[in-house]
Amino acid sequence: VWYLLPLTEFEAGFDAVGFQRWFSSVWRWCFVLSAAYVLLVFGGRRLMRDREPFRLQLPLMMWNVGLAVFSFFACLNSFIHSVMYTYYAIRAADYRPPKMLSICITTLQILQMIAILVVTVAAHLTLRSGHPCSWSHLGTVLTLPLYGSYLLLFLNFFRISYLPSVKKD
């Protein structure tokens, strides 16, 4: 019954002769690699029995901390935007929430920008010190001006909107 099914694009373009040529030149490796695998599985236990176990606690802990930190920032960003857009929806429905709510939202946004800038500077300093780091100079060049300008805009908005001594022009 399988021969009644239409061929897929991959099957129609498959070069069987070329594959047979390639496989006939490397088939011996299948036996070599299989034998090495069997030796490692059965001989590896004896080899590793008297050795000190791998100490993976610190690298795994650092990996988990990194995941938690970046998950925290993503969660923080989502939380702030959820509160912010709920506030906008309430305002669009002609309801005026207490002014303290808008002050809290702006303060959270300012704190978020500060946190992103602190993490960016820390990652850049780690990179410059020569320690292994998955950050790049391009990340610093793009992140600092972007989030720095966001921070300045939110600070200016806060100053104009919520501080009594500042006059609106």
Side-chain angles (χ1 to χ4, degrees):
V1 176
W2 63 268
Y3 52 85
L4 297 176
L5 296 174
L7 292 177
T8 64
E9 185 179 331
F10 171 76
E11 292 169 326
F14 183 71
D15 179 19
V17 175
F19 176 76
Q20 287 175 342
R21 246 182 286 142
W22 172 81
F23 190 75
S24 67
S25 68
V26 298
W27 68 270
R28 291 170 194 86
W29 282 105
C30 293
F31 292 104
V32 171
L33 293 174
S34 297
Y37 176 75
V38 168
L39 286 174
L40 284 173
V41 167
F42 292 109
R45 280 192 225 143
R46 284 192 210 126
L47 180 67
M48 298 302 288
R49 182 178 41 218
D50 297 330
R51 293 186 183 260
E52 186 176 328
F54 291 115
R55 298 190 183 276
L56 295 176
Q57 184 177 6
L58 181 63
L60 290 174
M61 184 177 69
M62 296 304 293
W63 174 258
N64 285 327
V65 167
L67 288 177
V69 166
F70 289 111
S71 296
F72 171 75
F73 284 124
C75 183
L76 177 66
N77 186 46
S78 298
F79 170 74
I80 291 171
H81 280 82
S82 298
V83 172
M84 183 177 66
Y85 288 122
T86 303
Y87 173 80
Y88 291 154
I90 291 170
R91 289 292 303 261
D94 288 332
Y95 177 75
R96 291 204 42 95
K99 189 171 186 176
M100 185 54 80
L101 181 59
S102 61
I103 292 172
C104 288
I105 292 171
T106 306
T107 303
L108 285 173
Q109 290 170 320
I110 290 170
L111 291 174
Q112 179 186 7
M113 298 309 137
I114 291 171
I116 290 171
L117 290 170
V118 166
V119 169
T120 300
V121 169
H124 183 72
L125 292 176
T126 302
L127 180 68
R128 285 192 61 195
S129 70
H131 289 91
C133 181
S134 62
W135 190 251
S136 69
H137 292 290
L138 179 62
T140 303
V141 168
L142 295 175
T143 303
L144 284 179
L146 179 69
Y147 286 96
S149 65
Y150 288 163
L151 177 62
L152 292 176
L153 289 170
F154 280 118
L155 287 171
N156 189 48
F157 176 78
F158 189 92
R159 183 180 65 86
I160 291 171
S161 300
Y162 307 125
L163 298 179
S165 62
V166 178
K167 298 272 187 201
K168 295 180 184 176
D169 293 331

